[in-house]
Coordinates of all heavy atoms in Angstrom, one line a residue:
V1 N 166.3 177.5 139.5 CA 166.4 177.8 140.9 C 167.3 178.9 141.2 O 168.5 178.8 140.9 CB 166.7 176.6 141.7 CG1 166.8 176.9 143.2 CG2 165.8 175.4 141.5
H2 N 166.8 179.9 141.9 CA 167.7 181.1 142.4 C 167.8 181.0 143.8 O 166.7 180.9 144.5 CB 167.2 182.4 141.8 CG 167.9 183.5 142.5 ND1 169.1 184.1 141.9 CD2 167.6 184.3 143.5 CE1 169.5 185.1 142.6 NE2 168.6 185.3 143.6
S3 N 168.9 181.2 144.5 CA 168.9 181.2 145.9 C 169.5 182.5 146.4 O 170.5 182.9 146.0 CB 169.9 180.0 146.4 OG 169.9 180.0 147.8
Y4 N 168.8 183.0 147.5 CA 169.4 184.1 148.2 C 170.3 183.7 149.2 O 170.0 182.8 150.1 CB 168.2 185.0 148.8 CG 167.2 185.5 147.8 CD1 166.0 185.0 147.7 CD2 167.6 186.6 147.0 CE1 165.1 185.4 146.7 CE2 166.7 187.1 146.1 CZ 165.5 186.5 146.0 OH 164.6 187.1 145.0
L5 N 171.4 184.2 149.3 CA 172.6 183.7 150.2 C 172.9 184.9 151.2 O 173.0 186.1 150.7 CB 173.8 183.3 149.4 CG 173.4 182.2 148.4 CD1 174.6 181.9 147.4 CD2 173.1 180.9 149.1
M6 N 173.2 184.5 152.4 CA 173.5 185.6 153.4 C 174.9 185.3 154.0 O 175.2 184.1 154.3 CB 172.4 185.6 154.5 CG 172.5 186.7 155.5 SD 171.3 186.5 156.8 CE 169.8 186.8 156.0
Y7 N 175.5 186.3 154.4 CA 176.7 186.1 155.3 C 176.7 187.3 156.3 O 176.1 188.3 156.1 CB 178.0 186.2 154.4 CG 178.3 187.5 153.7 CD1 179.1 188.4 154.2 CD2 177.7 187.8 152.5 CE1 179.4 189.6 153.5 CE2 177.9 189.0 151.8 CZ 178.8 189.9 152.3 OH 178.9 191.1 151.7
G8 N 177.4 187.0 157.4 CA 177.5 188.0 158.4 C 176.3 188.0 159.4 O 176.1 188.9 160.1
Y9 N 175.6 186.8 159.5 CA 174.5 186.8 160.4 C 175.1 186.7 161.8 O 176.2 186.2 162.1 CB 173.7 185.4 160.2 CG 172.5 185.4 161.0 CD1 171.3 186.0 160.6 CD2 172.4 184.7 162.3 CE1 170.1 186.0 161.4 CE2 171.3 184.6 163.0 CZ 170.2 185.3 162.6 OH 169.0 185.2 163.4
P10 N 174.4 187.3 162.8 CA 175.0 187.4 164.2 C 175.5 186.1 164.7 O 174.8 185.0 164.5 CB 173.8 187.8 165.0 CG 173.0 188.7 164.1 CD 173.2 188.0 162.8
T11 N 176.7 186.1 165.3 CA 177.4 184.9 165.8 C 178.1 184.1 164.8 O 178.8 183.1 165.1 CB 176.6 184.1 166.8 OG1 175.7 183.2 166.0 CG2 175.9 184.9 167.8
Q12 N 177.9 184.4 163.5 CA 178.5 183.6 162.4 C 180.0 183.8 162.5 O 180.6 184.9 162.5 CB 178.0 184.0 161.0 CG 178.6 183.2 159.9 CD 177.9 183.5 158.5 OE1 177.0 184.3 158.5 NE2 178.4 182.9 157.5
T13 N 180.8 182.7 162.5 CA 182.2 182.6 162.5 C 182.8 182.6 161.1 O 182.0 182.3 160.1 CB 182.7 181.4 163.3 OG1 182.4 180.2 162.6 CG2 182.1 181.4 164.7
E14 N 184.1 182.9 161.0 CA 184.7 182.9 159.7 C 184.7 181.5 159.2 O 184.6 181.2 158.0 CB 186.2 183.4 159.8 CG 186.2 184.9 160.1 CD 187.6 185.4 160.0 OE1 188.6 184.6 159.6 OE2 187.9 186.7 160.2
Q15 N 184.9 180.5 160.1 CA 184.8 179.0 159.6 C 183.4 178.7 159.0 O 183.3 178.1 158.0 CB 185.0 178.2 160.9 CG 185.1 176.7 160.5 CD 186.2 176.3 159.7 OE1 187.4 176.4 160.1 NE2 186.0 175.8 158.5
E16 N 182.4 179.2 159.6 CA 181.0 179.0 159.1 C 180.8 179.7 157.8 O 180.1 179.2 156.9 CB 180.0 179.5 160.1 CG 179.9 178.5 161.3 CD 178.9 179.0 162.4 OE1 178.9 180.2 162.7 OE2 178.2 178.2 163.0
T17 N 181.4 180.9 157.5 CA 181.3 181.5 156.3 C 181.9 180.7 155.2 O 181.4 180.5 154.1 CB 181.9 183.0 156.4 OG1 181.2 183.7 157.3 CG2 181.9 183.6 155.0
I18 N 183.2 180.1 155.5 CA 183.8 179.4 154.5 C 183.1 178.0 154.2 O 183.0 177.5 153.1 CB 185.3 179.1 154.9 CG1 186.0 180.5 154.9 CG2 186.0 178.1 154.0 CD1 186.0 181.2 153.6
D19 N 182.6 177.4 155.3 CA 181.9 176.2 155.2 C 180.5 176.4 154.4 O 180.1 175.5 153.6 CB 181.5 175.6 156.6 CG 182.8 175.0 157.2 OD1 183.8 174.8 156.5 OD2 182.7 174.6 158.4
S20 N 179.9 177.5 154.6 CA 178.8 177.8 153.9 C 179.1 178.0 152.4 O 178.4 177.5 151.5 CB 178.1 179.2 154.4 OG 177.0 179.5 153.7
L21 N 180.2 178.6 152.1 CA 180.6 178.8 150.7 C 180.8 177.4 150.0 O 180.5 177.1 148.9 CB 181.9 179.6 150.6 CG 182.5 179.7 149.2 CD1 181.5 180.3 148.2 CD2 183.8 180.5 149.2
E22 N 181.5 176.4 150.8 CA 181.7 175.1 150.3 C 180.3 174.4 150.0 O 180.2 173.7 149.0 CB 182.5 174.3 151.3 CG 182.6 172.8 151.0 CD 183.3 172.5 149.7 OE1 183.9 173.4 149.0 OE2 183.1 171.4 149.2
M23 N 179.4 174.6 150.9 CA 178.0 174.0 150.5 C 177.5 174.6 149.3 O 176.9 173.9 148.4 CB 177.1 174.3 151.7 CG 177.4 173.7 153.0 SD 176.9 171.9 153.0 CE 176.8 171.6 154.8
V24 N 177.6 175.9 149.1 CA 177.2 176.6 147.9 C 177.9 176.0 146.6 O 177.3 175.7 145.6 CB 177.3 178.0 148.0 CG1 177.0 178.8 146.7 CG2 176.3 178.6 149.1
R25 N 179.2 175.9 146.8 CA 180.0 175.3 145.7 C 179.5 174.0 145.3 O 179.3 173.7 144.0 CB 181.5 175.2 146.1 CG 182.4 174.7 145.0 CD 183.8 174.3 145.5 NE 183.6 173.0 146.3 CZ 183.5 171.8 145.7 NH1 183.5 171.7 144.3 NH2 183.4 170.7 146.4
Q26 N 179.1 173.1 146.2 CA 178.7 171.8 145.9 C 177.3 171.8 145.2 O 177.0 171.1 144.3 CB 178.7 170.9 147.1 CG 180.0 170.6 147.7 CD 180.0 169.6 148.9 OE1 179.1 168.8 149.0 NE2 180.9 169.8 149.8
L27 N 176.4 172.7 145.7 CA 175.1 172.8 145.2 C 175.2 173.3 143.6 O 174.4 172.8 142.8 CB 174.3 173.9 145.9 CG 173.8 173.4 147.3 CD1 173.4 174.6 148.1 CD2 172.7 172.4 147.2
F28 N 176.1 174.2 143.4 CA 176.3 174.6 142.0 C 176.9 173.5 141.1 O 176.7 173.4 139.9 CB 177.0 175.9 141.9 CG 176.1 177.1 142.1 CD1 175.9 177.7 143.3 CD2 175.5 177.7 141.0 CE1 175.2 178.8 143.5 CE2 174.6 178.8 141.1 CZ 174.4 179.4 142.4
E29 N 178.0 172.9 141.7 CA 178.7 171.8 140.9 C 177.8 170.7 140.5 O 177.8 170.2 139.4 CB 179.9 171.4 141.7 CG 180.8 170.3 141.0 CD 182.0 169.9 141.7 OE1 182.0 169.9 143.0 OE2 183.0 169.6 141.0
L30 N 176.9 170.4 141.4 CA 175.9 169.4 141.1 C 174.7 169.8 140.2 O 173.9 169.1 139.6 CB 175.1 168.9 142.4 CG 176.1 168.0 143.3 CD1 175.3 167.8 144.6 CD2 176.4 166.6 142.7
G31 N 174.7 171.2 139.9 CA 173.8 171.7 139.0 C 172.3 171.8 139.6 O 171.4 172.0 138.7
I32 N 172.2 171.8 140.8 CA 170.8 171.8 141.3 C 170.4 173.2 141.9 O 169.3 173.4 142.2 CB 170.6 170.8 142.5 CG1 171.7 171.0 143.7 CG2 170.8 169.3 142.0 CD1 171.5 170.1 144.8
I33 N 171.3 174.2 141.8 CA 171.0 175.6 141.8 C 171.7 176.2 140.7 O 172.9 176.0 140.4 CB 171.5 176.2 143.1 CG1 170.7 175.7 144.4 CG2 171.4 177.7 143.1 CD1 171.0 176.3 145.7
Q34 N 171.0 177.1 140.0 CA 171.5 177.7 138.7 C 171.9 179.2 138.9 O 172.6 179.8 138.1 CB 170.5 177.6 137.6 CG 170.3 176.2 137.2 CD 169.3 175.4 138.1 OE1 168.3 176.0 138.5 NE2 169.7 174.2 138.5
S35 N 171.4 179.8 140.0 CA 171.5 181.3 140.1 C 171.5 181.6 141.6 O 170.9 180.9 142.4 CB 170.4 182.0 139.4 OG 170.4 183.4 139.7
G36 N 172.3 182.6 142.0 CA 172.3 183.0 143.4 C 172.8 184.4 143.6 O 173.3 185.0 142.6
F37 N 172.7 184.9 144.8 CA 173.1 186.3 145.1 C 173.4 186.3 146.5 O 172.6 186.0 147.4 CB 172.1 187.3 144.7 CG 172.5 188.7 144.9 CD1 173.3 189.3 144.0 CD2 172.2 189.4 146.1 CE1 173.8 190.6 144.1 CE2 172.6 190.7 146.2 CZ 173.4 191.3 145.3
W38 N 174.7 186.8 146.9 CA 175.1 187.0 148.3 C 174.7 188.4 148.7 O 175.0 189.4 148.1 CB 176.6 186.8 148.4 CG 177.2 185.4 148.3 CD1 177.8 184.9 147.2 CD2 177.2 184.4 149.4 NE1 178.2 183.6 147.6 CE2 177.8 183.4 148.9 CE3 176.7 184.4 150.7 CZ2 178.1 182.1 149.6 CZ3 176.9 183.3 151.4 CH2 177.5 182.2 150.9
H39 N 174.2 188.5 149.9 CA 174.0 189.8 150.6 C 174.5 189.7 152.0 O 174.4 188.6 152.7 CB 172.7 190.3 150.4 CG 171.6 189.5 151.2 ND1 171.1 188.4 150.7 CD2 171.1 189.8 152.5 CE1 170.2 187.9 151.6 NE2 170.2 188.7 152.7
Q40 N 175.0 190.8 152.6 CA 175.4 190.8 153.9 C 174.2 191.1 154.8 O 173.3 191.9 154.5 CB 176.4 191.9 154.2 CG 177.1 191.8 155.6 CD 178.3 192.7 155.7 OE1 178.8 193.2 154.7 NE2 178.7 192.9 157.0
F41 N 174.1 190.3 155.9 CA 173.1 190.6 157.0 C 172.9 192.1 157.3 O 173.9 192.7 157.6 CB 173.4 189.7 158.2 CG 172.4 190.0 159.4 CD1 171.2 189.6 159.4 CD2 172.9 190.9 160.4 CE1 170.3 189.9 160.5 CE2 172.0 191.2 161.5 CZ 170.8 190.7 161.5
A42 N 171.7 192.5 157.3 CA 171.3 193.9 157.8 C 170.3 193.8 158.9 O 169.4 193.0 158.9 CB 170.7 194.6 156.6
L43 N 170.6 194.5 160.0 CA 169.7 194.5 161.2 C 168.7 195.5 160.9 O 168.8 196.7 160.7 CB 170.5 194.9 162.4 CG 169.8 195.0 163.7 CD1 169.1 193.7 164.1 CD2 170.6 195.5 164.8
T44 N 167.4 195.0 160.9 CA 166.2 195.9 160.8 C 165.4 195.9 162.1 O 165.3 195.0 162.8 CB 165.3 195.4 159.6 OG1 164.8 194.1 160.0 CG2 166.0 195.3 158.4
T45 N 164.9 197.1 162.4 CA 164.3 197.4 163.6 C 163.0 196.5 163.9 O 162.6 196.3 165.0 CB 163.9 198.9 163.8 OG1 163.5 199.1 165.1 CG2 162.9 199.3 162.8
H46 N 162.4 196.1 162.8 CA 161.1 195.3 162.9 C 161.2 193.8 162.9 O 160.3 193.1 163.0 CB 160.2 195.7 161.8 CG 160.0 197.2 161.6 ND1 159.4 198.0 162.5 CD2 160.3 198.0 160.6 CE1 159.4 199.2 162.1 NE2 160.0 199.3 160.9
S47 N 162.5 193.3 162.9 CA 162.7 191.9 163.0 C 162.9 191.4 164.3 O 163.2 192.2 165.3 CB 164.0 191.6 162.1 OG 165.2 192.2 162.8
P48 N 162.8 190.1 164.6 CA 163.1 189.5 165.9 C 164.5 189.9 166.5 O 164.7 190.1 167.6 CB 163.0 188.0 165.7 CG 161.9 187.9 164.6 CD 162.2 189.0 163.7

């Protein structure tokens, strides 16, 4: 399992970024995700 991970989504707080990282830490520690990649939110003109 590979998971695409995002940070910097609109209205995301610093607290939510750190809490999201903790969730990711637990997923990897339990071994139920084996691979991942973080990317920063990008605003595209064709998205909602």
